[in-house]
Amino acid sequence: MNSKQYPSFRDAVADIPDGAIIAFGGFAMPGTPFNLIKALAEQGAKHLTCIANTTGGAQQPRMPDLGLLVEQGQVRKVICAFTAATRASDVLPFTKYYEAGEVEAELVPQGTLAERLRAAGAGIPAFYTPAAVGTELAHGRETRVMNGREYLLEYALPVDYAFLRARRADAFGNLQFHRSQRNFNPVMAMAARVAIVEVDEDILPVGAIDPDQVHTPGIFIHRLVRVPPPPGGIWPVVRQERRR
Amino acid sequence: MNSKQYPSFRDAVADIPDGAIIAFGGFAMPGTPFNLIKALAEQGAKHLTCIANTTGGAQQPRMPDLGLLVEQGQVRKVICAFTAATRASDVLPFTKYYEAGEVEAELVPQGTLAERLRAAGAGIPAFYTPAAVGTELAHGRETRVMNGREYLLEYALPVDYAFLRARRADAFGNLQFHRSQRNFNPVMAMAARVAIVEVDEDILPVGAIDPDQVHTPGIFIHRLVRVPPPPGGIWPVVRQERRR
Amino acid sequence: MSDAVKGWNRQQMADQIAREFQDGWIVNLGVGMPTLCSNTDIGDRHIIYHSENGVIGYGPIAPAGQEDLNLVNAGGQNVTLNPGAAVVHHADSFAIIRGGRIDVTVLGAYEVAENGDFANWRLAGTKGGGIGGAMDLAACAKRVFVIMEHLTRDGRPRLVRRCVLPVTARGVVTLVATNYGLFEPAGEGFRLRELAAGIAVDEVRSGTSATLVI
Amino acid sequence: MSDAVKGWNRQQMADQIAREFQDGWIVNLGVGMPTLCSNTDIGDRHIIYHSENGVIGYGPIAPAGQEDLNLVNAGGQNVTLNPGAAVVHHADSFAIIRGGRIDVTVLGAYEVAENGDFANWRLAGTKGGGIGGAMDLAACAKRVFVIMEHLTRDGRPRLVRRCVLPVTARGVVTLVATNYGLFEPAGEGFRLRELAAGIAVDEVRSGTSATLVI
């Protein structure tokens, strides 16, 4: 069995073509693949469809995130739970490009986003959810009443690539996440044809992780890159709190 | 916070009413709540709807399982992935009662069974699956073509009680399973109003399990009973292999 | 948003809501003012705080210098864990939400209507929005409580007959804390459950574009 | 079922199937004869065995006395784990199956038809059936291979033009090993890919109720 370890972030994203559909793990800083995103910004693939919780850039300090790819003109469309700031005083890097019509957006409730990714990975082409029923998001869409309650039909969201971040991996790709680093990462791995992981710690020999304690099985994972210590690698930092 | 620990299996099942819908964890011996089933057989609740992988009794030695509850006349209906033996030479305890019309059965593909339970726990009232399309199980039922493939509509399967078995629990009900003991147990916990667990090891103080290594969060769990060492408690044994 | 508003301050609004929490409840707190509910002293009631990113049983904000940088709440703040905490992935976290396990979600809002509709994801005149987990939470939690300023920055009421902004969910809000008081959407109008110190009923009436039931 | 059948014995049938496995494949073996595939020597090809109960990467049957009683394969046998194994719950295990991650499932069957339909869950004249994971696996694995005796106990062919028994899935079987040889459903008839030692082509023809393509 070949190790799935790649020597660099550049190597791990080298083959990503224009037009690819990519899911990015992360909720705030934990679990966000900053290093892979930076490599993709350097690689330059265009017309991407990007799936993530937010369009990036809302938090300080600024990190390489989806907003960076948008600013570089690499993104055709985003699918996110946040496509605008929730406070009028905030301005996202994304907003300028969105309002100018240079990038499309699909706004999805966060739980629906997670479940659509999970469904893609689980071979479930569509499911019903109560989220967004009665809202603008449900306009013109198919709903169904079951047991007296109305539900919205939602479709699976398969992706070509998933960019993930984990605490620990063995060479087969079995993953462990630390605390809220987990977030979207496991379901994005399931939804992807090719899952690429940046890993906090040295890649372990196969079998070093207790089979009962694997968070994402290695069968879902294709490429691993060890994150170098700072300043070579990008790591989460304390968020700069703003008064609100 | 009160401990969820109960002093005996009898106490843990005492309130189960006639007509309850109960899911039983387990795949072969691992993860099967033999001790809770035995207590339910003694408690005597009737007209039960029972959900489990099999109707029990196919393996030797015989253990307290769904087949025992059927033999005692406690069961109105089973929902299982196996309602008959796959070899003509095998006879299940269940079969006699089923053929006599004393108990009903709903036969469900195993993956659909697991997903229907998970859906119930996840607030998904219905989903589509490719399993069983084109078979007798799909006769007269709603299907839908998506991306050129036909899928069958399946509904969530909520239950009143789940009977589970785990290796380890803290007093809040956070659970860890050992190896294939896990099987249906986590999704049955999710699907249940009340989840009751028989636990291999002494109940641990709250916080003794690493939050990253919890398999089923305690918010899903309501009652815990420690399984006494044999012969007081019932434990898995080596299956007697038969020639086939 | 300034603290120099009339009536209750931010923490006092949160206190009004937090005092409703019952022992053993699983509580999801939205970003902003709802977060302050976890500061309220509610005695020995044990609350399990759930965050959309899969953290069940988080505790206070981590002291500066002791943050686990991979542990945040829904607002991205570095929190701690209480004993008995567990972490799950995002789909399992929303399974908990949609599955009806959240006893209450406390959310911020732009508007709440007398029929329990509320709006909190899109400001007027903006393209896109910030839904986050609010639509899942609002549709599925057992109770939806709201904390918001009584008036917008330009002095218009946020308690209204019908929402003008696009709604997050319909008919779900049962309790609202503002700096003016504690209110229950009552189908027709809002019932005033408690008046903030220093606020006159007439002030509430003139700041509310729906009937006030006292 | 006796080993005193003509042609290949049980292990030889399994060997024919196992030799198709490619390096890195994720393989699900059904109860009974398919289990024997894991005994076949296929050199240094690394196979990941997946079992419906959520075990990914299991190894050989545990030696007597060294069983982990909480670790079984889909047939309920106490197995071991290979390095790199992982355990998931049942819904995640079938997510792997339905998600198309299984390179091949090897199943037993009562009948296989020339159009790739097959039947393995209900015998004639019985009420109920034993589906287990077969319908999920058959509908979703990248390949479905079958191992079965060429004839029923009363001497009737199992390779047929159309299934008489209720099918498990339609049009999915691409390879069948019987004691008579290795066959591919060919739309019209079965292509004979390999003939078992000691079996004559005429014997295969008379034991097959569909055209034989050679």
Side-chain angles (χ1 to χ4, degrees):
Chain A
M1 183 168 41
N2 296 324
S3 169
K4 295 171 179 176
Q5 189 161 8
Y6 275 57
S8 73
F9 300 110
R10 189 174 62 181
D11 290 303
V13 305
D15 68 345
I16 292 181
D18 288 355
I21 303 171
I22 311 178
F24 301 87
F27 182 96
M29 288 192 202
T32 303
F34 297 122
N35 297 278
L36 289 167
I37 295 171
K38 181 161 169 273
L40 184 62
E42 288 159 7
Q43 190 256 25
K46 288 194 165 38
H47 313 303
L48 303 173
T49 295
C50 295
I51 293 136
N53 188 48
T54 77
T55 63
Q59 295 198 347
Q60 294 300 326
R62 188 76 195 279
M63 309 282 273
D65 60 17
L66 185 41
L68 174 66
L69 301 176
V70 169
E71 287 172 333
Q72 296 210 156
Q74 295 179 263
V75 179
R76 185 184 74 77
K77 181 181 180 183
V78 303
I79 303 176
C80 293
F82 294 89
T83 60
T86 45
R87 291 185 291 171
S89 54
D90 286 353
V91 178
L92 301 178
F94 172 78
T95 301
K96 182 172 79 178
Y97 301 87
Y98 186 34
E99 292 188 340
E102 291 174 28
V103 56
E104 295 169 48
E106 181 179 342
L107 181 61
V108 181
Q110 198 173 120
T112 299
L113 185 62
E115 190 67 13
R116 288 178 64 193
L117 290 160
R118 192 259 176 198
I124 301 292
F127 60 91
Y128 293 91
T129 175
V133 167
T135 75
E136 192 179 295
L137 269 64
H139 281 180
R141 292 177 50 202
E142 182 174 343
T143 63
R144 184 182 188 111
V145 175
M146 285 173 270
N147 299 318
R149 189 168 180 192
E150 190 178 2
Y151 296 93
L152 186 61
L153 180 66
E154 293 281 0
Y155 294 92
L157 184 55
V159 304
D160 297 319
Y161 295 87
F163 283 16
L164 315 174
R165 181 152 181 160
R167 167 61 55 95
R168 203 170 286 119
D170 70 16
F172 181 59
N174 288 309
L175 303 184
Q176 286 184 328
F177 302 94
H178 178 70
R179 304 303 188 229
S180 76
Q181 190 184 49
R182 198 177 316 191
N183 64 68
F184 283 97
N185 284 297
V187 289
M188 288 177 170
M190 289 173 69
R193 264 195 320 104
V194 178
I196 312 174
V197 191
E198 51 179 77
V199 184
D200 291 351
E201 299 182 355
D202 284 340
I203 311 300
L204 298 166
V206 175
I209 300 177
D210 182 338
D212 283 343
Q213 307 300 10
V214 170
H215 295 153
T216 289
I219 56 170
F220 290 112
I221 302 301
H222 302 84
R223 301 175 193 172
L224 303 166
V225 189
R226 165 76 159 95
V227 181
I234 308 168
W235 295 75
V237 298
V238 175
R239 189 179 68 153
Q240 291 162 18
E241 280 288 344
R242 289 166 305 187
R243 179 85 186 85
R244 60 175 306 177
Chain B
M1 181 166 44
N2 296 323
S3 167
K4 296 173 180 175
Q5 188 160 7
Y6 275 58
S8 72
F9 300 109
R10 190 175 59 181
D11 290 304
V13 305
D15 68 345
I16 292 181
D18 289 354
I21 303 171
I22 311 177
F24 301 88
F27 182 97
M29 287 190 202
T32 303
F34 297 123
N35 296 280
L36 288 167
I37 295 172
K38 179 161 168 274
L40 184 63
E42 288 159 7
Q43 190 257 23
K46 288 195 165 37
H47 313 302
L48 303 173
T49 296
C50 296
I51 293 137
N53 187 48
T54 77
T55 62
Q59 295 197 347
Q60 293 300 326
R62 188 74 194 281
M63 309 283 272
D65 60 17
L66 185 39
L68 172 66
L69 301 177
V70 170
E71 286 171 333
Q72 296 207 158
Q74 295 179 262
V75 180
R76 185 184 74 77
K77 181 181 179 181
V78 303
I79 303 176
C80 293
F82 293 90
T83 59
T86 46
R87 290 185 292 171
S89 54
D90 286 353
V91 178
L92 301 179
F94 172 78
T95 302
K96 183 172 78 179
Y97 301 87
Y98 187 33
E99 293 189 340
E102 292 174 25
V103 56
E104 295 169 48
E106 181 179 341
L107 182 60
V108 181
Q110 198 174 119
T112 299
L113 184 62
E115 190 67 13
R116 288 179 63 193
L117 290 159
R118 191 259 174 200
I124 301 292
F127 60 91
Y128 293 90
T129 175
V133 167
T135 75
E136 191 178 296
L137 267 65
H139 281 180
R141 292 178 49 202
E142 182 174 344
T143 63
R144 184 183 188 111
V145 175
M146 286 173 270
N147 299 318
R149 189 169 179 191
E150 190 177 2
Y151 296 93
L152 186 61
L153 180 66
E154 295 281 1
Y155 293 93
L157 184 55
V159 304
D160 297 319
Y161 295 87
F163 283 16
L164 315 174
R165 182 153 182 159
R167 168 60 55 94
R168 204 170 287 118
D170 70 16
F172 182 59
N174 288 308
L175 303 184
Q176 287 184 328
F177 302 95
H178 178 70
R179 305 304 189 227
S180 75
Q181 189 184 48
R182 198 177 316 190
N183 63 69
F184 283 96
N185 283 297
V187 288
M188 287 176 171
M190 290 173 68
R193 263 196 319 105
V194 178
I196 312 174
V197 191
E198 52 178 76
V199 185
D200 291 352
E201 298 182 355
D202 284 340
I203 311 301
L204 298 167
V206 175
I209 300 176
D210 182 338
D212 284 344
Q213 307 300 9
V214 170
H215 295 153
T216 289
I219 56 170
F220 290 114
I221 303 302
H222 303 83
R223 302 175 192 173
L224 303 166
V225 189
R226 165 74 159 97
V227 181
I234 308 169
W235 295 75
V237 298
V238 175
R239 188 178 69 154
Q240 291 163 18
E241 280 288 343
R242 288 166 306 186
R243 181 84 187 86
R244 59 174 306 179
Chain C
M1 189 179 300
S2 153
D3 264 357
V5 290
K6 285 183 189 170
W8 289 329
N9 65 23
R10 293 158 52 85
Q11 184 61 53
Q12 287 171 319
M13 292 186 235
D15 291 345
Q16 290 293 327
I17 291 292
R19 281 199 270 272
E20 302 288 316
F21 299 170
Q22 297 304 306
D23 188 44
W25 273 16
I26 302 167
V27 172
N28 182 295
L29 301 178
V31 179
M33 284 196 285
T35 306
L36 300 173
C37 290
S38 60
N39 297 341
T40 305
D41 179 3
I42 52 168
D44 57 3
R45 281 176 273 176
H46 177 79
I47 303 299
I48 300 143
Y49 290 107
H50 167 277
S51 175
E52 288 93 311
N53 57 346
V55 184
I56 306 161
Y58 69 85
I61 303 291
Q66 295 175 42
E67 298 91 350
D68 180 337
L69 297 179
N70 282 306
L71 176 57
V72 299
N73 64 10
Q77 299 167 303
N78 291 112
V79 291
T80 53
L81 294 180
N82 286 331
V87 178
V88 298
H89 64 54
H90 235 84
D92 281 348
S93 179
F94 279 87
I96 291 168
I97 293 170
R98 277 192 316 267
R101 304 274 175 172
I102 304 294
D103 290 289
V104 65
T105 184
V106 185
L107 296 169
Y110 305 137
E111 289 178 335
V112 177
E114 62 185 10
N115 61 2
D117 294 358
F118 80 111
N120 81 344
W121 67 276
R122 177 143 93 203
L123 288 161
T126 61
K127 191 171 174 185
I131 295 174
M135 285 191 184
D136 304 90
L137 282 160
C140 303
K142 290 180 194 163
R143 301 166 187 83
V144 180
F145 295 168
V146 164
I147 306 181
M148 61 182 188
E149 304 279 330
H150 203 89
L151 303 175
T152 64
R153 278 163 207 233
D154 49 359
R156 282 175 303 142
R158 294 182 187 273
L159 292 179
V160 295
R161 281 209 60 231
R162 291 291 175 269
C163 286
V164 172
L165 294 169
V167 301
T168 303
R170 298 202 175 273
V172 295
V173 178
T174 55
L175 190 65
V176 185
T178 77
N179 48 316
Y180 282 15
L182 196 58
F183 302 88
E184 291 173 357
E188 297 196 358
F190 291 88
R191 193 170 81 80
L192 174 61
R193 240 181 64 176
E194 196 148 341
L195 190 64
I199 301 290
V201 169
D202 278 354
E203 250 173 323
V204 179
R205 272 216 180 83
S206 68
T208 302
S209 56
T211 310
L212 201 66
V213 185
I214 299 174
Chain D
M1 190 179 301
S2 153
D3 265 357
V5 290
K6 285 182 187 171
W8 288 328
N9 65 25
R10 292 158 51 87
Q11 184 61 54
Q12 287 170 318
M13 293 186 237
D15 290 346
Q16 290 294 325
I17 292 292
R19 280 199 271 273
E20 302 288 315
F21 299 170
Q22 297 302 308
D23 189 44
W25 273 16
I26 302 167
V27 173
N28 182 294
L29 301 178
V31 179
M33 285 197 284
T35 306
L36 301 173
C37 289
S38 61
N39 297 340
T40 305
D41 179 2
I42 52 167
D44 57 3
R45 281 176 272 175
H46 177 79
I47 303 299
I48 299 144
Y49 290 106
H50 168 277
S51 175
E52 287 92 312
N53 57 345
V55 184
I56 306 162
Y58 69 85
I61 303 291
Q66 294 173 44
E67 298 91 350
D68 180 337
L69 298 179
N70 282 306
L71 177 55
V72 299
N73 64 10
Q77 299 167 304
N78 291 111
V79 289
T80 54
L81 294 180
N82 287 329
V87 178
V88 298
H89 65 52
H90 236 84
D92 280 348
S93 180
F94 279 86
I96 291 167
I97 293 171
R98 276 190 319 265
R101 303 274 174 172
I102 304 294
D103 290 289
V104 65
T105 183
V106 185
L107 296 169
Y110 304 136
E111 289 178 336
V112 177
E114 62 185 12
N115 61 1
D117 293 358
F118 80 110
N120 82 345
W121 67 276
R122 177 143 93 203
L123 288 161
T126 60
K127 192 172 173 184
I131 295 174
M135 285 190 183
D136 304 89
L137 283 160
C140 303
K142 290 180 194 162
R143 301 166 188 84
V144 181
F145 296 168
V146 164
I147 306 181
M148 62 183 188
E149 304 278 333
H150 203 89
L151 303 175
T152 65
R153 277 164 207 233
D154 48 2
R156 281 175 305 143
R158 293 183 186 273
L159 292 179
V160 295
R161 281 209 61 231
R162 290 292 175 270
C163 286
V164 173
L165 293 170
V167 301
T168 303
R170 299 202 175 273
V172 294
V173 178
T174 54
L175 190 64
V176 185
T178 77
N179 50 314
Y180 282 15
L182 196 59
F183 302 88
E184 291 173 357
E188 297 197 358
F190 290 88
R191 194 171 80 81
L192 175 62
R193 239 180 66 175
E194 195 148 341
L195 189 66
I199 301 291
V201 169
D202 278 354
E203 251 173 322
V204 180
R205 273 216 180 84
S206 68
T208 302
S209 55
T211 310
L212 201 66
V213 186
I214 298 174

